[in-house]
Amino acid sequence: MDNQKMNPVHLDPDYEPMSNASNNTRFASILEARMARRGVLKGGLAAAMTGLFGGFALTGCGSSSSSPETGVAPQLVGFKAIPVSDEDTIVVPEGYSAHVITRWGDPISANNGVFPEFDPLTNTGADQAHQIGSHHDGMHFFPIEGNDPNEGSSTDGLLVMNHEYIEPRFMHASAVGASLTRSQFPRIDSDNRDDDEVLKELNAHGVSVVRVQKGVNGTWSHVQGDSLNRRITGLTPMEISGPVRGTDWVKTKYSPTGTMTRGTLNNCAHGVTPWNTYMAAEENWAGYFVNNSPRPESQSRYGVRPSGKSRYAWEDAQSRADEYVRFNATPGDGAATEDYRNEPHCFGWMVEIDPFDATSTPIKRTALGRFAHEGVVFAPSIEGRPVVCYSGDDARNEYIYKFVSAQPYHKATAGGYLLDSGTLYVAKFNADGSGEWLPLVFGQGPLTPANGFDSQADVLVKTRSAADAVGATKMDRPEWGAVDPNTREVYFTLTNNSSRTEADAANPRTNSRWGHIIKWQEGSEDNTATTFNWDIFILAGPTDDSDFNGQPLNEDQIFNSPDGLWIDKDSRVWIQTDISEGVMNTGDFAQFGNNQMLVADPRNGVLRRFLTGPIGQEITGVITTPDQRTMFINVQHPGATTAAGEFAAGNMNSDWPDRTTNYPRSATVVITKDDGGIIGT
Ligand code: FEO
Ligand code: CA
Ligand code: CA
Ligand code: CA
């Protein structure tokens, strides 16, 4: 067995290649300028935060959340905050309960008449296509009526979730006893991988659609064999739609007409359309491909590997079957339709899935741009007005985008076609708190043949380059977005940015080790405006940071690396964290413990820790049933902090959630309030 050997930076599964060499202004310097402008009175950022929180400083457990101005604000956040934790378990506040469903490997459909029970040492690649995938991420609960994504049954529905990536050492019998890190995998030899292991890894990626129901005893479980249960994987045929469809960019041996591709990969967060479909984002897909010849800008600007093997070396599957060799994008001697030089252009999109039609073909919607899509979030739809959605590009110094449909939304006829034509914009944040949406439209501004853009398809395939050209603002890794359904304000997490090393790195307010959350209000009610006003919602960090220069967070509130984000019907802001496995529970990251979830009331500044997770994982994905009395969250990659030597010795540092097997498993956690109340109260 020969372990993966390559540039160490590529060994981190969270590796977001920093590929932005443009000179656009960094968000850090803008934030600093804005804070300096606003911080003329004592308190500096505290004053800024106070403004954001409607006149009140952040408060923790025990503080009143009613507004002195009105005296009537209902208590959105009512539980007693929990402390940080480094225990290998889920902790929720007093009065709440949590239990596990839909673990990686749980069978949802039958393989040749048999539901394959989870056993990582004997399950085959084909079995995995009938089981819940690995590395759960973005997720939505679709009420079973299938009419509206947020209204309907609160006891019966489809749970649809992304499976971002895999930890191969936990998947294969051949890995037992080997010294493997979380991103390494077994090989037959330096140029060959076992076909069934490759198949299993591809099938553990993608999306699960699974029926879940609340039983008479109040306990939730999934319905094995339901007709709507479905796995979408790294192999599922998908249609390419929008301006890039049929262009030379996406013509491959598999699809010489450039209309189809196979699979979706590295699906991080998601989106839910107003017409009740699910969208899976393709985030860190670039590293799944290698191109050993000089890479075109459409690949180098995204971090397609320039040499060696792809992330999991799937191209080395011993059979050299067509569905595996495509991960090597090195051009052959013939035409583009005879090889897979264009395969990386078939990834980096938002993928629309109809969860209520198990035979439907997923569709890659190219008009929304090509980048490391963290997810997509739709503004509440308005009859007769365009559809508006937002998407962040999660890599260091990349951008935040907005799409506005060309055609208006009409509930009776709305569908995915609305995402095939419209205007893609990229955000520019000005130092004075204003912002602009810069259109990425072929022929406008610098997006002309003189600068390498010959069509809208060129603009979309090279979205990052187009955004560079128009002068967008470089951000600290944009992760999830959320839109407040009551105020229509837009929030985005900016998780951290390890590439910022200049002098201001010592200032925790701009120190991107901890991350922050930004918010803005569009200049028009329907979110279609081309200008906005922005502010900082929360700067994450510890309590004792002497450089914080403002109101510090208290023990009930400290967190870092905000990632998952969701705003519920009442405007509670749910915040999930993703401290990297490389630093989790080490050094000054140890004070934050394991990854966690908090909730804020944006009207009065109440912020409290609601949940802490087991060892080595991140908390990601959050949704409630329409009645807000059941919450689903995901736990991704428990045990990922197990060192190679510990793995070889069979000592995983987490056995969550099963306890009885040696293998930690990503899983969904169901949270209910013991008195049957709304989650968060
Ligand atoms: Fe997959 Fe940006 O987190
Ligand atoms: Ca994420
Ligand atoms: Ca992560
Ligand atoms: Ca993250």
Side-chain angles (χ1 to χ4, degrees), residues 273-545:
T273 69
W275 47 94
N276 211 40
T277 60
Y278 181 88
M279 305 217 41
E282 298 183 328
E283 190 196 15
N284 292 315
W285 50 272
Y288 288 72
F289 298 95
V290 62
N291 182 345
N292 284 296
S293 68
R295 297 165 300 169
E297 184 186 1
S298 55
Q299 298 179 7
S300 61
R301 183 67 181 79
Y302 293 86
V304 167
R305 291 187 175 189
S307 62
K309 306 292 187 185
S310 73
R311 177 170 173 166
Y312 299 115
W314 288 335
E315 66 275 15
D316 282 352
Q318 203 166 22
S319 67
R320 299 297 194 266
D322 191 68
E323 63 269 34
Y324 305 138
V325 297
R326 64 187 165 124
F327 295 100
N328 184 345
T330 307
D333 297 331
T337 50
E338 294 168 31
D339 61 37
Y340 286 103
R341 71 188 69 176
N342 285 327
E343 190 73 358
H345 305 142
C346 299
F347 291 79
W349 307 108
M350 290 298 318
V351 184
E352 185 177 16
I353 295 165
D354 180 356
F356 289 94
D357 180 357
T359 65
S360 60
T361 301
I363 302 174
K364 299 202 176 190
R365 299 288 180 190
T366 62
L368 274 58
R370 174 172 174 263
F371 43 92
H373 280 279
E374 175 73 17
V376 67
V377 58
F378 286 77
S381 53
I382 297 175
E383 187 71 16
R385 295 293 302 162
V387 169
V388 179
C389 57
Y390 302 88
S391 187
D393 183 353
D394 181 9
R396 290 168 287 176
N397 308 318
E398 296 297 345
Y399 308 120
I400 295 175
Y401 298 85
K402 164 166 113 169
F403 175 82
V404 179
S405 69
Q407 299 177 65
Y409 169 84
H410 293 290
K411 187 169 174 56
T413 55
Y417 71 89
L418 290 166
L419 302 179
D420 281 343
S421 59
T423 305
L424 184 66
Y425 297 91
V426 65
K428 182 179 181 194
F429 293 82
N430 298 320
D432 65 357
S434 67
E436 301 160 59
W437 290 109
L438 308 172
L440 301 179
V441 176
F442 170 63
Q444 290 189 20
L447 305 180
T448 61
N451 293 309
F453 301 98
D454 290 318
S455 66
Q456 185 62 18
D458 288 8
V459 170
L460 294 168
V461 170
K462 300 188 290 183
T463 299
R464 284 181 169 177
S465 303
D468 294 341
V470 300
T473 303
K474 293 182 177 185
M475 307 297 279
D476 283 349
R477 293 188 51 200
E479 299 255 24
W480 290 47
V483 181
D484 187 319
N486 300 304
T487 66
R488 307 186 73 89
E489 290 169 300
V490 188
Y491 293 62
F492 262 80
T493 51
L494 297 161
T495 196
N496 55 54
N497 185 347
S498 62
S499 73
R500 192 193 307 164
T501 54
E502 51 263 43
D504 68 338
N507 179 350
R509 298 204 177 283
T510 56
N511 181 345
S512 55
R513 285 199 309 164
W514 308 139
H516 58 286
I517 302 175
I518 195 169
K519 64 184 278 192
W520 63 85
Q521 180 84 56
E522 298 280 16
S524 75
E525 289 192 339
D526 60 7
N527 291 63
T528 59
T530 54
T531 59
F532 59 92
N533 288 306
W534 67 271
D535 230 320
I536 300 298
F537 180 54
I538 299 177
L539 287 176
T543 62
D544 59 349
D545 203 312

Side-chain angles (χ1 to χ4, degrees), residues 71-334:
V72 295
Q75 187 97 326
L76 289 185
V77 176
F79 61 89
K80 184 171 185 288
I82 61 168
V84 298
S85 165
D86 59 7
E87 300 295 312
D88 191 33
T89 191
I90 291 277
V91 180
V92 290
E94 202 180 307
Y96 284 84
S97 297
H99 87 272
V100 170
I101 62 168
T102 53
R103 300 161 296 183
W104 163 50
D106 282 343
I108 61 171
S109 55
N111 183 16
N112 287 325
V114 176
F115 291 99
E117 290 302 327
F118 174 71
D119 181 345
L121 304 188
T122 61
N123 288 149
T124 64
D127 288 339
Q128 178 65 75
H130 297 274
Q131 300 169 323
I132 298 284
S134 191
H135 287 55
H136 301 32
D137 210 316
M139 167 174 60
H140 190 71
F141 174 86
F142 289 88
I144 198 62
E145 296 86 346
N147 298 323
D148 185 291
N150 301 304
E151 299 301 334
S153 178
S154 289
T155 57
D156 189 357
L158 297 178
L159 205 55
V160 184
M161 75 179 80
N162 289 342
H163 301 290
E164 188 179 23
Y165 62 102
I166 53 169
E167 193 155 337
R169 61 182 176 174
F170 293 151
M171 301 180 73
H172 307 305
S174 65
V176 174
S179 179
L180 296 171
T181 67
R182 62 181 182 271
S183 42
Q184 292 176 316
F185 46 81
R187 292 175 184 272
I188 293 170
D189 57 42
S190 59
D191 285 320
N192 289 284
R193 293 207 59 199
D194 179 85
D195 264 51
D196 199 62
E197 291 183 357
V198 170
L199 177 64
K200 194 174 184 181
E201 293 176 10
L202 273 155
N203 281 339
H205 280 74
V207 175
S208 291
V209 179
V210 59
R211 182 96 175 253
V212 292
Q213 291 175 330
K214 188 178 181 180
V216 284
N217 62 355
T219 302
W220 286 83
S221 57
H222 78 272
V223 182
Q224 239 180 32
D226 189 88
S227 63
L228 291 173
N229 288 357
R230 181 182 189 188
R231 281 304 320 285
I232 288 155
T233 74
L235 293 160
T236 304
M238 309 207 165
E239 204 169 313
I240 297 170
S241 187
V244 178
R245 178 183 173 87
T247 66
D248 287 347
W249 285 112
V250 286
K251 289 177 179 168
T252 62
K253 186 178 174 188
Y254 173 71
S255 180
T257 58
T259 55
M260 296 288 291
T261 189
R262 283 167 292 193
T264 184
L265 294 171
N266 211 270
N267 304 107
C268 196
H270 69 298
V272 182
T273 69
W275 47 94
N276 211 40
T277 60
Y278 181 88
M279 305 217 41
E282 298 183 328
E283 190 196 15
N284 292 315
W285 50 272
Y288 288 72
F289 298 95
V290 62
N291 182 345
N292 284 296
S293 68
R295 297 165 300 169
E297 184 186 1
S298 55
Q299 298 179 7
S300 61
R301 183 67 181 79
Y302 293 86
V304 167
R305 291 187 175 189
S307 62
K309 306 292 187 185
S310 73
R311 177 170 173 166
Y312 299 115
W314 288 335
E315 66 275 15
D316 282 352
Q318 203 166 22
S319 67
R320 299 297 194 266
D322 191 68
E323 63 269 34
Y324 305 138
V325 297
R326 64 187 165 124
F327 295 100
N328 184 345
T330 307
D333 297 331

